[in-house]
């Protein structure tokens, strides 16, 4: 899927229709990618590529992303419950992100999806962020929204 996404980005200027076909093929491969963290990374690349190539992102793809983020969060909770992946260090949930916010793969994916949603419906994205319980995730999502709105694609 990643190779198809990169191909689409390269050929976009010469043949936009071919680029969209490559992205559609990559999207069809997405559910087959394991582990889910790798699928999340590919989904993020796919969303950004659709924005660049097609100018918009299918709401169905965003929905798939939110479902994947929920699945990842559930897996993280189960792993933490069994003591797997909990390092006891200052950032047990995941790596560092801008502004010193620690977050796991699910949080990164959800924040990126909210930022993408904000491009089309800022008020809806802001309402969604306000409903989040986790203050770190709120901050991450808001910073991603600002970054997303500052870039042309």
């Amino acid at each position: 899927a990643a190779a198809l996404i990169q191909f689409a980005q390269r050929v976009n200027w010469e043949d936009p229709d071919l680029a969209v076909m490559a992205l559609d093929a990559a999207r069809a491969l997405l559910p087959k990618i394991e582990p889910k963290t790798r699928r999340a990374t590919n989904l993020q690349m796919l969303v950004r590529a659709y924005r660049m190539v097609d100018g918009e992102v299918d709401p169905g793809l965003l929905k798939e992303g939110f479902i994947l983020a929920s699945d990842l969060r559930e897996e993280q909770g189960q792993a933490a419950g069994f003591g797997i992946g909990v390092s006891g260090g200052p950032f047990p949930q995941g790596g560092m992100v801008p502004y010193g916010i620690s977050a796991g793969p699910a949080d990164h994916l959800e924040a990126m999806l909210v930022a993408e949603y904000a491009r089309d419906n800022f008020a809806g994205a802001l309402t969604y962020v306000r409903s989040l319980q986790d203050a770190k995730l709120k901050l991450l999502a808001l910073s991603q929204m600002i970054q997303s709105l500052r870039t042309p694609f």
Side-chain angles (χ1 to χ4, degrees):
L4 285 168
I5 295 167
Q6 292 170 351
F7 174 75
Q9 291 171 329
R10 283 194 308 266
V11 301
N12 180 42
W13 305 110
E14 296 170 19
D15 192 346
D17 293 333
L18 180 60
V20 170
M21 288 174 34
L23 292 177
D24 291 342
R27 182 176 180 180
L29 293 174
L30 207 58
K32 299 173 186 169
I33 297 173
E34 291 295 333
K36 288 182 181 175
T37 53
R38 193 167 144 229
R39 187 182 319 161
T41 301
N42 279 273
L43 186 123
Q44 289 178 12
M45 290 174 23
L46 187 61
V47 166
R48 290 182 185 113
Y50 264 118
R51 173 64 68 187
M52 185 179 84
V53 169
D54 206 22
E56 62 184 13
V57 179
D58 176 33
L61 184 59
L62 295 177
K63 180 180 176 184
E64 290 173 31
F66 281 111
I67 292 169
L68 178 58
S70 176
D71 292 347
L72 282 169
R73 191 165 284 113
E74 190 174 296
E75 284 181 3
Q76 281 178 314
Q78 290 174 352
F82 291 113
I84 300 168
V86 178
S87 66
F91 306 107
Q93 296 289 320
M96 288 291 292
V97 294
Y99 312 110
I101 307 165
S102 63
D107 292 341
H108 284 287
L109 178 59
E110 187 170 3
M112 188 279 303
L113 293 167
V114 170
E116 188 59 42
Y117 180 53
R119 288 174 170 266
D120 295 325
N121 184 352
F122 184 79
L126 199 54
T127 300
Y128 179 81
V129 170
R130 286 182 184 148
S131 74
L132 296 172
Q133 299 298 316
D134 185 357
K136 289 181 182 181
L137 180 55
K138 279 184 183 182
L139 181 59
L140 179 61
L142 288 170
S143 67
Q144 290 270 341
M145 286 171 60
I146 292 167
Q147 289 175 337
S148 174
L149 294 171
R150 292 184 61 191
T151 58
F153 53 80

